[in-house]
Amino acid sequence: SPSMETCLGANVYRESGNKIVRNRRQKVGDPKLIHKLKSVNNILIGKMALGDFPGWKKNCLKRLDRIHAEKPIDLILSSFAPEDAHEIALAFKKKNQDVKWIADMRDEMSLNPFYNGQRKAKLQRLEKEIEPYVDAVSSVSLPILDGFKSLMNKNQNIDFIEVRNGFDHERSEVYNFNEEFTMLYAGTFYAERKPTEFFKALVELDQEGKLPQDIQIQLLGTHLNFKIPAVLKDKIKVLPSMSNEECLSYMFKADCNLLLHPPMGVKGVFTGKLFEYLSTMKPVFGMVDLDDVAADLIHELNGGVCVDFYDVEGIKRSFLTLYKQWQQKEKQAYKEELVPTLHRKTQTKIVEAQIEKLLA
């Protein structure tokens, strides 16, 4: 229900929408039937072009009008997804053109290759509507930002700023080495993001007599939508979904953190877990697109080893390199001064500077 509370000196207003006709969030651990029903619901919501949260937009606009009447708003910041947030900001800006507007794009909109034609068309219309009214556009990486520049190049007054995701904890722990070489993967598996090639590489190492026996692969919070080869079953440990704090503990204690990020057909996707991995200053084993931002960032921080997602021979070599590093108790030689720049508080300063510029 609608409510207002104060947090860190700011008023926080919560507006409800339609509780029945709305987008449903998928959760790790959902039974298969529930997962399918949520998927069908979300597809239907998208096809009806109602937005993810029908009713919420209307209530938020009313709230904004009331706030603006009591004390004029100087700037509004909206973040996609869902697109409802931009639609609220756009409607408000059209009525109050002196108000500055920052449209934050965490991901692509119409350029997202996973959206169908109908959804792409809707987002293309929204992008065109946004262009004449927005003052600044932010996104998580330069390649994604370049996509928005190409779509909104008619308005020369838009500022385009990169505001990465990041980690938001203040933890630091003593660098440890486990009794077994312990590699952790945290997250879910879906579509092409599966451990198939990784498992294939380990099986081949076993067949060649090169697979170390003192290893443990931890899979944390994963959907059980994959098969574990018989020769690896005693080396794979599947951990349940847990809180972010607990998850961080496993990342800090692991000897290596595994990043599985296949080429997605677009550039500029870091994946959120990468920042948390790098914050531990343990080596990252990145099975990634070698010509994209995740590999660039790992190399920039000297944070580990990167290999093409589908390069089985390269995966084998890299795995043994990291195992030998653990065996010799060699710490990963991070460029430690760069790690704090990945903290979210550093990234928010970029937004702060943009706000000050617009309001100057």
Side-chain angles (χ1 to χ4, degrees):
S1 60
S3 64
M4 192 278 279
E5 58 189 79
T6 301
C7 177
L8 299 176
N11 291 335
V12 179
Y13 299 89
R14 301 181 188 275
E15 294 295 336
S16 61
N18 190 310
K19 293 184 179 180
I20 299 173
V21 183
R22 64 179 175 86
N23 194 279
R24 306 282 172 174
R25 187 184 296 275
Q26 306 281 15
K27 297 177 183 176
V28 174
D30 276 345
K32 283 187 178 180
L33 178 60
I34 298 298
H35 178 82
K36 288 180 179 178
L37 288 173
K38 285 182 177 179
S39 297
V40 170
N41 174 84
N42 296 347
I43 290 168
L44 289 174
I45 290 290
K47 285 187 178 297
M48 288 188 289
L50 296 173
D52 287 342
F53 304 99
W56 180 65
K57 287 186 288 188
K58 182 180 177 182
N59 293 338
C60 285
L61 269 170
K62 286 181 179 178
R63 173 71 71 177
L64 281 173
D65 289 339
R66 289 199 296 271
I67 294 170
H68 192 57
E70 292 170 10
K71 185 178 180 180
I73 294 170
D74 297 309
L75 180 142
I76 188 165
L77 191 155
S78 58
S79 189
F80 170 84
E83 62 262 31
D84 308 55
H86 286 339
E87 290 169 347
I88 292 165
L90 176 62
F92 184 77
K93 173 80 177 192
K94 284 180 177 179
K95 293 188 293 183
N96 306 280
Q97 297 199 24
D98 289 339
V99 175
K100 300 299 181 182
W101 176 20
I102 300 175
D104 175 57
M105 317 288 189
R106 292 293 83 193
D107 301 305
E108 309 93 333
M109 290 180 65
S110 68
L111 294 180
N112 191 316
F114 301 106
Y115 290 158
N116 62 28
Q118 187 176 4
R119 181 141 172 74
K120 279 180 178 288
K122 183 191 176 187
L123 293 175
Q124 283 172 345
R125 289 194 297 271
L126 180 56
E127 287 161 345
K128 288 179 181 177
E129 282 190 84
I130 287 172
E131 182 186 348
Y133 294 97
V134 75
D135 298 286
V137 171
S138 61
S139 192
V140 297
S141 68
L142 293 177
I144 293 178
L145 207 58
D146 285 342
F148 285 107
K149 285 181 183 178
S150 70
L151 294 169
M152 299 182 176
N153 56 12
K154 291 179 182 176
N155 185 347
Q156 300 297 315
N157 296 318
I158 300 175
D159 289 332
F160 291 92
I161 54 173
E162 181 190 38
V163 183
R164 293 175 177 176
N165 292 322
F167 65 91
D168 62 356
H169 64 83
E170 302 292 343
R171 297 175 67 149
S172 62
E173 296 188 12
V174 176
Y175 202 109
N176 69 297
F177 295 93
N178 292 291
E179 290 185 8
E180 291 184 310
F181 177 58
T182 303
M183 181 176 284
L184 173 77
Y185 174 83
T188 56
F189 294 131
Y190 56 90
E192 296 300 312
R193 192 190 300 271
K194 294 282 181 70
T196 309
E197 304 303 315
F198 178 63
F199 286 165
K200 183 178 179 182
L202 297 188
V203 168
E204 288 190 11
L205 284 174
D206 182 71
Q207 292 169 345
E208 296 164 7
K210 297 178 182 177
L211 183 68
Q213 296 306 300
D214 52 346
I215 64 171
Q216 182 182 117
I217 312 298
Q218 297 177 340
L219 306 176
L220 193 159
T222 58
H223 295 305
L224 297 177
N225 53 1
F226 58 93
K227 290 184 179 179
I228 300 174
V231 297
L232 299 179
K233 285 195 173 177
D234 65 333
K235 296 174 174 57
I236 306 290
K237 184 174 183 180
V238 179
L239 300 167
S241 182
M242 57 187 67
S243 72
N244 194 55
E245 278 299 308
E246 293 173 303
C247 187
L248 277 169
S249 295
Y250 276 91
M251 290 182 198
F252 272 96
K253 287 175 181 151
D255 295 302
C256 178
N257 287 300
L258 175 64
L259 182 72
L260 297 181
H261 184 48
M264 308 292 284
V266 291
K267 302 293 183 181
V269 183
F270 283 108
T271 79
K273 278 289 179 284
L274 175 57
F275 297 98
E276 291 182 332
Y277 281 176
L278 291 169
S279 75
T280 69
M281 289 196 279
K282 289 294 187 69
V284 177
F285 182 16
M287 288 175 52
V288 296
D289 180 348
L290 294 178
D291 190 31
D292 202 6
V293 291
D296 290 344
L297 186 59
I298 293 169
H299 289 144
E300 182 184 349
L301 271 70
N302 195 34
V305 176
C306 292
V307 61
D308 183 273
F309 187 85
Y310 297 105
D311 180 6
V312 173
E313 289 301 317
I315 294 167
K316 288 157 64 175
R317 288 193 300 271
S318 298
F319 182 86
L320 292 176
T321 295
L322 289 165
Y323 174 79
K324 184 177 180 181
Q325 183 176 323
W326 164 81
Q327 215 176 23
Q328 296 177 347
K329 290 186 164 46
E330 292 179 11
K331 292 183 180 181
Q332 184 66 31
Y334 269 77
K335 295 179 182 175
E336 294 186 21
E337 70 280 4
L338 296 181
V339 175
T341 67
L342 305 183
H343 199 288
R344 288 182 188 172
K345 64 186 178 185
T346 303
Q347 295 300 307
T348 57
K349 288 177 182 176
I350 299 171
V351 182
E352 182 183 0
Q354 182 63 40
I355 291 172
E356 289 176 352
K357 177 184 175 184
L358 291 176
L359 297 181

